[in-house]
């Protein structure tokens, strides 16, 4: 959910929400590249656990976290390079989804009722559950709101990319990402109003 979640969260809550979004990305990346790979890969696929945990997104998230708390300033050329790379994240993710969906007949994108059920769970039920549980155990309301909004995003493109990389059902993953992303255009504004 990073490609949409981070810009949306920052636009709703402002730059002070940046640290929360970074903190959330660490377990999200770790789970995506461990549990997520196990879920999308065929059952007989052998996966190296060390390779799954020590991947570029997880390493980058930990480095960003360390830099934030140690207040280390990076040179301007490094920062501008990082900003340039960050700027292509959303278009790059959309390009991958588009390439996956290009082979589907249009009717096939909207005909599977299970995807609608999954979308309701993903965009409404799970964020609501996350909000109520976190509100009971976390005192920081900004943190609760940021996490809830992040969870309310459409399915992450990483599911489609991992399905392609590890031989999973890339068609189903691509359809799920497309449908939840399209429907989130309706649900995200509602969540943003509720959480502000």
């Amino acid at each position: 959910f990073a490609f949409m979640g981070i810009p949306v969260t920052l636009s709703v809550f402002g730059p002070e929400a940046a640290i929360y979004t970074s903190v959330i990305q660490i377990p999200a990346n770790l789970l995506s590249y461990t549990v997520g790979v196990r879920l999308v890969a065929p059952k007989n696929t052998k996966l190296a656990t060390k390779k799954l945990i020590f991947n570029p997104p997880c390493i980058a998230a930990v480095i960003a976290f360390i830099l934030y708390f140690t207040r280390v300033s990076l040179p301007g050329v490094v920062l501008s390079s990082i900003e340039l790379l960050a700027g292509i994240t959303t278009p790059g993710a959309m390009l991958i989804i588009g390439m996956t969906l290009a082979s589907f007949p249009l009717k096939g994108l909207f005909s599977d009722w299970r995807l609608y059920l999954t979308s309701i769970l993903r965009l409404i039920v799970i964020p609501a559950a996350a909000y109520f549980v976190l509100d009971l155990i976390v005192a920081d309301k900004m943190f609760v709101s940021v996490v809830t909004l992040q969870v309310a995003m459409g399915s992450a493109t990483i599911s489609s990319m991992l399905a392609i990389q590890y031989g999973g059902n890339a068609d189903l993953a691509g359809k799920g990402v497309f449908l939840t992303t399209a429907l989130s255009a309706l649900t995200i504004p509602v969540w943003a109003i509720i959480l502000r």
Side-chain angles (χ1 to χ4, degrees):
F1 49 70
F3 84 96
M4 262 180 52
I6 292 173
V8 169
T9 302
L10 294 179
S11 68
V12 172
F13 298 110
E16 60 272 16
I19 184 60
Y20 294 127
T21 59
S22 299
V23 168
I24 294 164
Q25 291 309 309
I26 294 172
N29 282 328
L30 188 60
L31 288 171
S32 293
Y33 282 93
T34 52
V35 177
V37 170
R38 287 277 176 208
L39 290 172
V40 301
K43 290 183 180 178
N44 58 354
T45 306
K46 291 186 178 180
L47 303 168
T49 307
K50 188 177 178 182
K51 212 173 182 183
L52 294 176
I53 295 172
F54 296 102
N55 59 73
C58 287
I59 293 168
V62 171
I63 291 170
F65 200 60
I66 292 167
L67 289 174
Y68 177 83
F69 281 108
T70 57
R71 304 287 185 201
V72 173
S73 296
L74 296 174
V77 68
V78 174
L79 287 176
S80 61
S81 299
I82 292 171
E83 285 176 14
L84 182 66
L85 285 173
I88 65 165
T89 303
T90 301
M94 292 290 103
L95 185 63
I96 289 169
I97 294 171
M99 289 188 309
T100 305
L101 296 175
S103 60
F104 300 153
L106 192 58
K107 183 182 175 186
L109 292 173
F110 301 101
S111 60
D112 192 341
W113 65 268
R114 293 171 300 177
L115 290 174
Y116 289 99
L117 179 61
T118 302
S119 297
I120 291 168
L121 289 170
R122 178 79 182 110
L123 301 174
I124 299 169
V125 177
I126 294 173
Y131 176 81
F132 288 116
V133 170
L134 287 173
D135 196 44
L136 291 173
I137 59 175
V138 178
D140 188 339
K141 297 300 180 190
M142 169 74 87
F143 181 78
V144 173
S145 295
V146 168
V147 171
T148 303
L149 192 59
Q150 292 279 301
V151 172
M153 296 294 133
S155 297
T157 54
I158 190 69
S159 58
S160 186
M161 290 185 277
L162 291 176
I164 293 167
Q165 184 177 352
Y166 290 97
N169 190 340
D171 289 355
L172 182 62
K175 288 177 185 178
V177 171
F178 172 79
L179 189 59
T180 57
T181 301
L183 293 176
S184 71
L186 302 173
T187 58
I188 289 172
V190 175
W191 279 112
I193 291 167
I194 292 169
L195 297 170
R196 279 185 120 171

